[in-house]
Amino acid sequence: MRACRTLNVSKAGFYEYLKRKPSKRKQENSVLMEEIRRIFHEHHSRYGTIRITKVLNKNGIHVNRKRVGKLLHQMGLYAKGSRYKYKNYNKKRPSLSHPNLLNQVFQAEKKNKIWLGHITYIPLKRSTLYLSVFIDVFTRKIVGWSMDTRMKDTIVIDAFLQALGKEHPEEGLIIHTDQGSQYTGSRFQEVLRKKGAVSSMSRKGNPYDNALMESFYKTIKRELINDANFTSIDQAQMEIFKYIETYYNTKRIHSALGYHSPKDFESSHS
């Protein structure tokens, strides 16, 4: 498979990855997170942990309030007027604040100088899949990506390490992301330091500070996800795998690249 060769993984290894089934707890959390997200947005961000738990209980879903709070935190959902200490209740992983080094200027002189990172969610029939992506600003290529049923720091670490393995950037690489706990957490920041990368972060609640990433997610949702009606994690993983590696990076032309694909643009500037 061409995509497997691109990622330097065996066919057997990829299909073995697809066969891995999430634990019962993960499956329950995926379904629960979708219901929590629905209630949260239905009430326009006004309901916090206690009220969402009450609604779940009324709907016949009996769950611990602490579990609801933890899942809200993982999804980055905070009720209006939430206290600061609630947003940062998990003190096991201290957060760091980093300056915005880009200031909405998404330009680079060559590849592997600036990567943008972000996470989005993909609705499935009975669960949710999360996609973490890193894009090179110069080539617009997806240099690294990872999927998981949980939105934890491992998903961004895996995507970043995959990109490092393929691109081998020099020290000083700028990694621009939002201020989600997956990026501000000590584990991801330690990986950046060890690899000689520099962290840059958007201002809170400002999507324009990472507009190029937002544009990519709008594109993949419009061209693949919205009409896919994925029924299983395996199906979603395979289709997203094919979209990124055999279409977006290699065939899809970009106006910002003079209507070349990332692969052709990269080749012409190597």
Side-chain angles (χ1 to χ4, degrees):
M1 183 189 295
R2 183 178 177 183
C4 289
R5 291 197 300 270
T6 302
L7 289 175
N8 295 319
V9 298
S10 67
K11 291 182 182 179
F14 175 71
Y15 286 112
E16 176 63 27
Y17 165 75
L18 290 182
K19 290 178 183 177
R20 295 177 187 171
K21 301 298 181 182
S23 66
K24 183 179 179 180
R25 181 77 172 187
K26 287 184 180 180
Q27 292 175 347
E28 289 177 351
N29 279 345
S30 294
V31 175
L32 187 56
M33 287 167 84
E34 276 304 291
E35 187 63 15
I36 290 172
R37 188 191 301 278
R38 184 192 66 77
I39 296 170
F40 183 84
H41 291 302
E42 178 185 346
H43 293 276
H44 305 286
S45 308
R46 299 181 185 117
Y47 277 16
T49 302
I50 295 176
R51 285 183 172 82
I52 290 177
T53 303
K54 294 293 185 182
V55 174
L56 289 170
N57 291 340
K58 287 181 179 179
N59 292 340
I61 302 175
H62 300 286
V63 61
N64 186 285
R65 180 171 63 86
K66 291 183 178 180
R67 187 176 178 185
V68 172
K70 183 177 180 180
L71 294 177
L72 279 168
H73 179 72
Q74 287 181 15
M75 293 186 286
L77 300 178
Y78 306 109
K80 293 178 179 178
S82 296
R83 291 175 298 171
Y84 182 79
K85 70 175 184 179
Y86 165 71
K87 295 184 180 182
N88 299 275
Y89 73 91
N90 188 353
K91 297 303 181 182
K92 294 180 181 179
R93 295 179 184 176
S95 297
L96 302 173
S97 178
H98 297 271
N100 185 339
L101 302 177
L102 303 189
N103 292 316
Q104 300 182 17
V105 179
F106 304 107
Q107 297 178 359
E109 296 180 354
K110 60 181 181 178
K111 69 176 185 178
N112 297 329
K113 289 297 182 181
I114 303 173
W115 290 353
L116 309 178
H118 197 24
I119 304 172
T120 194
Y121 77 96
I122 300 158
L124 307 180
K125 190 173 183 179
R126 292 187 176 86
S127 60
T128 300
L129 188 64
Y130 294 95
L131 172 64
S132 170
V133 163
F134 285 96
I135 291 180
D136 181 83
V137 167
F138 182 71
T139 63
R140 298 297 200 268
K141 183 174 74 172
I142 307 302
V143 291
W145 54 275
S146 178
M147 291 178 280
D148 202 338
T149 55
R150 294 186 296 172
M151 198 168 64
K152 303 190 72 174
D153 59 357
T154 51
I155 192 174
V156 299
I157 292 172
D158 289 346
F160 178 67
L161 292 179
Q162 182 196 94
L164 283 180
K166 290 192 295 183
E167 299 298 317
H168 307 290
E170 298 176 353
E171 287 193 6
L173 168 69
I174 294 175
I175 303 297
H176 184 79
T177 67
D178 60 25
Q179 295 190 42
S181 60
Q182 299 82 9
Y183 300 110
T184 60
S186 58
R187 292 208 301 178
F188 181 69
Q189 289 298 320
E190 181 63 22
V191 171
L192 294 188
R193 284 192 291 273
K194 286 183 178 179
K195 301 303 180 181
V198 180
S199 182
S200 168
M201 291 186 175
S202 303
R203 292 165 292 180
K204 287 187 177 181
N206 192 325
Y208 300 106
D209 282 352
N210 209 353
L212 198 153
M213 275 296 329
E214 298 287 349
S215 177
F216 166 72
Y217 281 135
K218 286 182 180 179
T219 297
I220 192 174
K221 288 182 178 181
R222 182 180 68 248
E223 296 182 353
L224 175 67
I225 296 170
N226 290 345
D227 297 328
N229 297 317
F230 295 129
T231 58
S232 69
I233 293 174
D234 291 356
Q235 179 194 13
Q237 288 177 324
M238 176 59 78
E239 293 303 317
I240 292 168
F241 177 90
K242 290 191 296 184
Y243 179 86
I244 291 176
E245 296 296 346
T246 67
Y247 177 67
Y248 189 88
N249 277 348
T250 59
K251 296 180 181 178
R252 190 184 187 283
I253 59 176
H254 295 250
S255 59
L257 303 178
Y259 292 98
H260 291 88
S261 69
K263 179 181 177 182
D264 291 341
F265 184 82
E266 182 178 40
S267 297
S268 67
H269 289 79
S270 60

